Amino acid sequence: EEFKEGATDSQLVNSVYCDNYWMELYHGRLEKTAGAIALRFRWYGTGQPKKVFVERKTHRESWCGDLSVKERFVVDESEVLGMLDGKYNIKEQKAKMKARGVSAAQIADWEQLAREITSAISNKQLRPVMRTQYMRTAFQIPYDATVRVSLDSNLTMIVDRTKSTADGDAWYRDPTTPVPLNEITRFPHAVLEVKLQLESEDQ
């Protein structure tokens, strides 16, 4: 493919992590408790999010070491607050998926994940607490997922536990309001991750 000046494979990744007052999810992941989850809302690019990935990462013990399984589905930005408030209409979403021709098996898998995530939000009283932002550059041989390398740089962590997110008026900090210096941390290193796909499984 012809190189275009200024072109890049980098994109901004935004992730809002949810937890409760006791930071239960954070401590579970830190202590690598079997079955511990991380729950986040992720979007890509600058500006206001339009499509948001609802992601759950689950810690699993494995013979080959620690393993984290990621599952996700996409929602419109307008649906995120409803999900946090227990008003996400799974039945309506199922009907939309069926109308689009999504298979019954895929719908069943999605419904199980959606119900488990919405139940966790409600039962564990999860609210947005922290956001990460970074530039991710991905490297991969075209049409070959055997080896994937990502480089994350300009990593920033922002407190998203605000009055607005606690009250359910917003799910991330108002981007037009300056962030106090004691509520933002800039990580002074880059993170390099190598993912190998072995026997159709990500390790």
Side-chain angles (χ1 to χ4, degrees), residues 77-121:
E77 188 279 332
S78 60
E79 297 172 311
V80 175
L81 276 181
M83 183 171 285
L84 286 168
D85 291 336
K87 298 172 183 173
Y88 184 64
N89 194 326
I90 290 177
K91 186 177 180 180
E92 181 181 305
Q93 295 301 324
K94 279 178 63 179
K96 288 180 180 178
M97 292 172 77
K98 191 173 182 180
R100 291 201 309 267
V102 179
S103 73
Q106 287 176 302
I107 292 175
D109 288 344
W110 169 86
E111 182 178 6
Q112 181 178 345
L113 179 59
R115 289 195 184 280
E116 288 176 1
I117 287 176
T118 52
S119 291
I121 290 171

Side-chain angles (χ1 to χ4, degrees), residues 158-175:
I158 303 166
V159 174
D160 255 336
R161 194 196 294 267
T162 65
K163 186 178 186 305
S164 293
T165 58
D167 291 344
D169 297 326
W171 61 276
Y172 63 97
R173 183 187 286 271
D174 180 358

Side-chain angles (χ1 to χ4, degrees), residues 18-33 35-38 120 123-126 129 161:
C18 295
D19 214 323
N20 53 28
Y21 179 80
W22 306 274
M23 298 296 287
E24 177 184 346
L25 271 55
Y26 168 75
H27 288 292
R29 296 285 292 187
L30 193 66
E31 294 159 13
K32 297 186 175 179
T33 305
I37 66 168
N123 296 338
K124 295 179 181 294
Q125 303 174 44
L126 304 181
V129 295
R161 194 196 294 267

Side-chain angles (χ1 to χ4, degrees), residues 52-191:
V52 179
F53 289 93
V54 183
E55 299 186 346
R56 180 181 70 180
K57 294 191 77 173
T58 307
H59 178 73
R60 302 245 173 90
E61 297 293 341
S62 170
W63 64 270
C64 60
D66 296 327
L67 186 66
S68 191
V69 178
K70 183 173 78 174
E71 302 163 285
R72 71 180 188 172
F73 60 93
V74 68
V75 297
D76 288 327
E77 188 279 332
S78 60
E79 297 172 311
V80 175
L81 276 181
M83 183 171 285
L84 286 168
D85 291 336
K87 298 172 183 173
Y88 184 64
N89 194 326
I90 290 177
K91 186 177 180 180
E92 181 181 305
Q93 295 301 324
K94 279 178 63 179
K96 288 180 180 178
M97 292 172 77
K98 191 173 182 180
R100 291 201 309 267
V102 179
S103 73
Q106 287 176 302
I107 292 175
D109 288 344
W110 169 86
E111 182 178 6
Q112 181 178 345
L113 179 59
R115 289 195 184 280
E116 288 176 1
I117 287 176
T118 52
S119 291
I121 290 171
S122 175
N123 296 338
K124 295 179 181 294
Q125 303 174 44
L126 304 181
R127 307 300 302 174
V129 295
M130 196 262 302
R131 175 158 31 124
T132 61
Q133 287 186 320
Y134 51 85
M135 290 300 297
R136 169 162 289 182
T137 306
F139 306 90
Q140 180 178 325
I141 297 172
Y143 312 111
D144 181 0
T146 307
V147 180
R148 289 173 290 166
V149 178
S150 62
L151 180 67
D152 298 340
S153 57
N154 299 333
L155 176 60
T156 303
M157 289 159 280
I158 303 166
V159 174
D160 255 336
R161 194 196 294 267
T162 65
K163 186 178 186 305
S164 293
T165 58
D167 291 344
D169 297 326
W171 61 276
Y172 63 97
R173 183 187 286 271
D174 180 358
T176 64
T177 304
V179 180
L181 290 178
N182 65 337
E183 295 187 1
I184 184 168
T185 300
R186 300 185 189 281
F187 188 65
H189 309 284
V191 178

